[in-house]
Amino acid sequence: MEETVEDPPTSAVLLDHCHFSQVIFNSVEKFYVPGGDVTCYYTLTQQFIPRRKDWIGIFRVGWKTTREYYTFMWVSLPVDLNSDSAKQQEVQFKAYYLPKDDEYYQFCYVDQDGVVRGASIPFQFRPENEEDILVVTTQEELEILKSTAQKLEQEAKAQKDGWETELLQLKEQNQKMSSENEKMGVRVEQLQAQLSTREKEMEKLVQGDQDKTEQLERLNKENSQLLLALTQQKEHQKKLEQTVEEMLKQEETTTLKKQQALKDENAGLSRKLSENKIIYDALQKEKERLERENDLLKRENSRLLSYMGLDFDSLPYQVPTSDQGGTGQNPALVYGNPYSGIQESSAPSLLAVKKCPTCKSDFAGDILDFTSEQQRPQPPCLSCPICDKTFPAKEKQIFEDHVFCHSL
């Protein structure tokens, strides 16, 4: 059987339960596992004759009219309505068209006039659990008991009809066969006794059916309570998950703030380190420049001393000071140094010995004067306006770097 795009015949009239017993649904599960095809089994009673446009739909429990079906399948007409195989029918619903939620649904047989001729017990589409196994087993037993009761009722009715027909025949033959009247009366009594026994058996079956129904209702009530507890547990778990998620977000925000603060601090330290490195490089270059100038001055002084015919290393020991007078002569000479006048006349510039401002060596006055002529006089010093630290005038770059460090 294939599903067509043609809409089934429906009706806007509210449901009527008086015709629901003409088609009986068999072996209806308490629930069906999602993702699989579902086979619907049903039985056609003697009071109902199927037609070409009849269909079976899946309705959500609580529906009012046949227009509220979720999905449907056309039924197939049996070839021989009088055969037993024609009474037992089935139709298969593909998994793709079945509901995806866990609401309660039921099968309904709708004829081509849009009238419901049979409805199944409710079921769900959800996975199986241990509690459902007990409920489904009880439901199957209840369906079996219903089927047995219906068969017994049909057999009793058939037998009763047969007995009534036979009784009429006996009455007609009573005039012709009076001799057999007593035998037939006994037969009628036996049949009535059997009928009474069958009626008692039916009463017991009906009472058992009622007990099973009450048990099923109790199980359904327990199942509802379990579902409610499960729903509350899910809500509590959801709240816990939300709380944990919020705590994780807060912790993540705090961690990000700490990381950003460390990054800012590292950036500040890196920037300060870079600035200090620039100052250090500038100071290192200034130091190298001063060392080169110092070397140039030393070489210039040595060249000048060589030019004057003097030894730079022995100069402090050969040149006496002018204020020592005769006390600077060699004490071993009684009458003094006869060459002292020649020395004073030949090297008058050696009388005044001065210190070199660069290397702190003793220089003759004229040599120092000659060196001083080579360099222009500079301001005496540079004073820091913040800490009052002083720097030589030639260390102007170092002085500027020092002042800049105060602004960091």
Side-chain angles (χ1 to χ4, degrees):
M1 184 189 334
E2 296 183 356
E3 184 175 352
T4 62
V5 296
E6 182 182 358
D7 293 332
T10 59
S11 175
V13 180
L14 296 178
L15 61 90
D16 186 5
H17 297 275
C18 63
H19 303 294
F20 280 18
S21 61
Q22 294 183 358
V23 176
I24 300 173
F25 289 90
N26 306 320
S27 303
V28 178
E29 301 290 345
K30 180 63 178 177
F31 64 89
Y32 295 93
V33 179
D37 298 340
V38 173
T39 302
C40 173
Y41 301 93
Y42 61 97
T43 301
L44 303 176
T45 61
Q46 295 179 351
Q47 295 83 6
F48 178 73
I49 299 176
R51 291 180 289 179
R52 187 175 61 86
K53 287 291 185 176
D54 293 354
W55 54 282
I56 294 178
I58 295 179
F59 291 76
R60 181 177 295 177
V61 174
W63 58 274
K64 299 299 182 181
T65 66
T66 55
R67 293 180 178 179
E68 300 175 20
Y69 67 91
Y70 184 89
T71 184
F72 79 100
M73 292 293 293
W74 297 110
V75 300
S76 59
L77 296 178
V79 178
D80 185 5
L81 294 175
N82 296 324
S83 63
D84 293 336
S85 60
K87 304 298 181 182
Q88 302 293 332
Q89 299 292 323
E90 65 180 56
V91 63
Q92 189 178 53
F93 290 87
K94 296 297 181 181
Y96 178 79
Y97 300 100
L98 296 177
K100 302 299 186 295
D101 54 19
D102 57 354
E103 296 290 335
Y104 282 90
Y105 294 85
Q106 62 182 150
F107 299 117
C108 292
Y109 188 105
V110 185
D111 63 11
Q112 67 179 19
D113 296 327
V115 179
V116 177
R117 298 295 180 175
S120 70
I121 61 174
F123 55 87
Q124 290 179 286
F125 294 92
R126 59 180 179 84
E128 182 180 7
N129 54 44
E130 295 180 358
E131 297 174 356
D132 293 325
I133 295 175
L134 177 61
V135 176
V136 171
T137 303
T138 305
Q139 184 64 35
E140 290 177 352
E141 293 176 357
L142 179 61
E143 292 294 336
I144 293 173
L145 290 175
K146 286 183 177 180
S147 177
T148 304
Q150 291 174 356
K151 289 181 180 179
L152 291 176
E153 183 180 4
Q154 293 175 0
E155 290 178 359
K157 185 176 181 180
Q159 289 180 359
K160 186 177 181 180
D161 294 339
W163 294 334
E164 291 177 354
T165 302
E166 187 176 0
L167 183 59
L168 292 174
Q169 292 176 357
L170 289 174
K171 287 181 179 181
E172 292 177 355
Q173 294 176 1
N174 187 27
Q175 296 176 356
K176 297 179 182 179
M177 301 177 66
S178 57
S179 62
E180 297 180 358
N181 188 21
E182 295 180 359
K183 296 180 180 180
M184 290 297 176
V186 173
R187 177 62 178 169
V188 170
E189 291 178 356
Q190 292 177 351
L191 292 175
Q192 289 180 348
Q194 292 180 0
L195 179 61
S196 177
T197 302
R198 292 296 178 87
E199 289 178 351
K200 291 180 180 180
E201 291 178 355
M202 287 183 62
E203 290 178 357
K204 291 181 180 180
L205 291 174
V206 171
Q207 183 63 35
D209 189 11
Q210 292 178 353
D211 295 338
K212 293 295 183 180
T213 303
E214 293 176 356
Q215 184 179 4
L216 179 60
E217 291 177 353
R218 184 174 66 255
L219 292 174
N220 288 333
K221 184 177 180 180
E222 294 177 356
N223 191 20
S224 300
Q225 293 176 353
L226 291 174
L227 289 175
L228 179 60
L230 179 60
T231 303
Q232 294 176 351
Q233 184 66 24
K234 287 182 178 179
E235 292 178 353
H236 180 66
Q237 182 178 0
K238 186 176 180 181
K239 291 180 180 178
L240 290 177
E241 291 177 353
Q242 292 176 352
T243 303
V244 171
E245 185 177 359
E246 291 176 357
M247 293 177 63
L248 291 175
K249 288 182 179 179
Q250 292 177 358
E251 183 177 357
E252 182 180 0
T253 303
T254 304
T255 303
L256 291 175
K257 289 181 179 179
K258 290 182 179 179
Q259 291 179 354
Q260 186 62 36
L262 291 175
K263 287 181 180 180
D264 295 340
E265 184 178 356
N266 290 336
L269 293 175
S270 299
R271 183 171 60 256
K272 189 173 182 180
L273 180 61
S274 300
E275 294 173 353
N276 291 337
K277 187 176 184 304
I278 293 172
I279 295 173
Y280 172 78
D281 293 341
L283 294 175
Q284 188 69 21
K285 291 180 181 180
E286 182 64 19
K287 178 183 176 183
E288 293 175 357
R289 185 183 64 80
L290 294 175
E291 288 178 353
R292 288 195 298 272
E293 290 181 0
N294 190 19
D295 291 340
L296 291 175
L297 291 174
K298 285 183 179 181
R299 286 196 295 271
E300 183 65 21
N301 291 335
S302 298
R303 185 183 65 80
L304 292 175
L305 290 173
S306 298
Y307 180 77
M308 297 295 296
L310 300 175
D311 187 1
F312 181 79
D313 295 332
S314 61
L315 184 59
Y317 302 97
Q318 295 176 0
V319 181
T321 58
S322 59
D323 56 355
Q324 289 177 349
T327 61
Q329 297 179 359
N330 192 340
L333 299 177
V334 180
Y335 300 101
N337 188 358
Y339 300 101
S340 61
I342 299 173
Q343 291 177 353
E344 292 175 358
S345 61
S346 61
S349 62
L350 299 179
L351 295 178
V353 180
K354 298 182 180 179
K355 292 287 185 178
C356 176
T358 303
C359 61
K360 304 304 180 181
S361 300
D362 294 333
F363 278 44
D366 56 350
I367 296 175
L368 185 60
D369 295 338
F370 181 81
T371 303
S372 299
E373 292 176 1
Q374 300 259 335
Q375 299 177 349
R376 293 295 181 185
Q378 299 291 337
C381 62
L382 298 173
S383 177
C384 177
I386 299 175
C387 62
D388 295 334
K389 187 175 181 180
T390 58
F391 296 86
K394 61 183 179 180
E395 297 179 355
K396 183 178 180 181
Q397 183 63 40
I398 298 176
F399 166 75
E400 293 177 354
D401 295 337
H402 171 78
V403 175
F404 175 73
C405 289
H406 284 294
S407 63
L408 298 178

